[in-house]
Amino acid sequence: IARKFRKQGLASFMLEEILRDLEKRKVKRIEVFPKRGLKLSEDELWTGPEEMFIKAGFRVIKDSPTQPVLAIRL
């Protein structure tokens, strides 16, 4: 998301839409790997804040200081 459009809830909105679509497609489980406490380079992919996934119903299944694993069942 371009910097000028951040902090408007767009990532959360897109995540909810993606989860709805995957549920329609009969996907049963999703895992995500947010980065924690790392400084990312400009060209490195950022998966979004861990808190966004927690608010969407994901749970930590493997904790890590730098890259926890979160999952949700649909």
Side-chain angles (χ1 to χ4, degrees), residues 1-65:
I1 297 174
R3 211 174 276 285
K4 68 180 181 178
F5 296 108
R6 293 181 190 165
K7 305 284 185 195
Q8 297 179 31
L10 295 174
S12 295
F13 172 77
M14 287 188 288
L15 177 60
E16 290 298 327
E17 291 299 311
I18 290 166
L19 292 175
R20 268 192 271 283
D21 180 63
L22 292 173
E23 189 170 27
K24 286 180 194 175
R25 295 170 187 255
K26 307 284 191 242
V27 172
K28 301 292 181 204
R29 186 171 186 269
I30 302 164
E31 288 187 359
V32 295
F33 311 92
K35 295 182 177 150
R36 193 191 274 169
L38 297 176
K39 181 111 174 155
L40 302 178
S41 65
E42 285 293 317
D43 61 339
E44 193 171 358
L45 178 64
W46 186 59
T47 58
E50 183 178 356
E51 298 79 27
M52 176 182 70
F53 295 108
I54 298 291
K55 285 180 183 176
F58 286 80
R59 300 288 173 246
V60 176
I61 60 169
K62 182 180 177 192
D63 208 0
S64 163

